[in-house]
Amino acid sequence: MAELTVETTYGEALLEAARETGTTERILEEGDTLLQILEEEPELRSFMNYPAISADEKKEVLGKIFEGRICTQLLNFLYVLVDKRRTMCIGNILKIYRTLMEKEEGYTYGTIYSVIRLSEERLAEFESQTSRLLRTNVRLENEIDPALIAGVKILIDGKIIDASYKRRFDELAGRLKIS
């Protein structure tokens, strides 16, 4: 729980710095690219998180890799994370950054549960339909729940839209018990 508070603090600080320099969108895009690189290059991630390597060595290597490829604000932010030994949190920090930025733009976040992973196109359809239904901009994160049997369940701001077969079976079972 404390880790989430720290990550939120860093995400807020990054957003504030991005606002001051007019680089909110650029940091968002370059942050996604940075995470993709760290995903594809686990050795780099391990290097950044390895405690026996000094902060100066890490910053020198990161500078050689990223200088001129990402904006100065994001590179300096990486340096701060290295100095504070928080590089292992970069994924969560950038996710919080995105969430905070999009909330400022009027988005509401929720989770869509499904039996299998939804395609990007299908997820976009659900976001569009849910946005119309709730009259707000909705962003959904897909999570797998095999207990649903089929269909989906959407949870947004304490509201549940349950279009799963499990709910239908539960309702049917309830009606059969009454009869």
Side-chain angles (χ1 to χ4, degrees):
M1 188 63 130
E3 197 63 32
L4 185 58
T5 303
V6 168
E7 293 166 355
T8 300
T9 302
Y10 279 99
E12 290 169 345
L14 180 58
L15 182 59
E16 184 63 32
R19 264 195 236 114
E20 289 175 7
T21 58
T23 56
T24 53
E25 286 294 329
R26 185 171 178 191
I27 288 176
L28 187 64
E29 292 168 12
E30 291 177 356
D32 288 343
T33 302
L34 175 64
L35 291 178
Q36 184 178 355
I37 291 169
L38 292 175
E39 186 72 29
E40 293 169 359
E41 302 294 335
E43 298 86 15
L44 178 59
R45 181 181 289 275
S46 295
F47 169 80
M48 288 173 56
N49 296 330
Y50 195 69
I53 300 172
S54 74
D56 288 337
E57 289 176 272
K58 290 177 185 179
K59 290 190 291 190
E60 182 180 338
V61 169
L62 291 173
K64 287 179 181 177
I65 295 171
F66 293 114
E67 197 167 320
R69 292 187 175 97
I70 62 175
C71 66
T72 306
Q73 292 78 12
L74 186 56
L75 184 58
N76 288 339
F77 187 72
L78 272 177
Y79 293 160
V80 168
L81 294 179
V82 167
D83 287 337
K84 300 295 183 180
R85 299 178 185 219
R86 297 284 185 195
T87 54
M88 75 289 295
C89 303
I90 190 153
N92 287 338
I93 292 168
L94 290 172
K95 184 177 180 180
I96 289 168
Y97 173 85
R98 174 183 294 279
T99 301
L100 292 170
M101 192 178 122
E102 290 179 342
K103 275 189 178 179
E104 281 185 356
E105 295 173 356
Y107 285 93
T108 300
Y109 290 85
T111 305
I112 182 167
Y113 298 92
S114 60
V115 177
I116 59 170
R117 176 97 23 226
L118 299 173
S119 68
E120 290 298 320
E121 296 81 26
R122 191 70 177 125
L123 187 60
E125 287 176 30
F126 277 113
E127 287 176 341
S128 175
Q129 292 169 357
T130 308
S131 292
R132 279 195 304 274
L133 179 68
L134 299 177
R135 294 185 182 106
T136 185
N137 294 320
V138 173
R139 296 281 168 119
L140 297 172
E141 184 176 320
N142 188 205
E143 290 193 21
I144 306 302
D145 183 358
L148 294 177
I149 303 168
V152 296
K153 182 168 61 173
I154 301 172
L155 177 63
I156 300 172
D157 290 338
K159 299 177 184 97
I160 297 175
I161 302 169
D162 194 344
S164 68
Y165 279 76
K166 180 180 180 344
R167 179 190 55 85
R168 292 179 186 166
F169 287 144
D170 290 346
E171 287 175 356
L172 181 60
R175 279 189 257 149
L176 290 174
K177 287 180 185 175
I178 293 173
S179 304

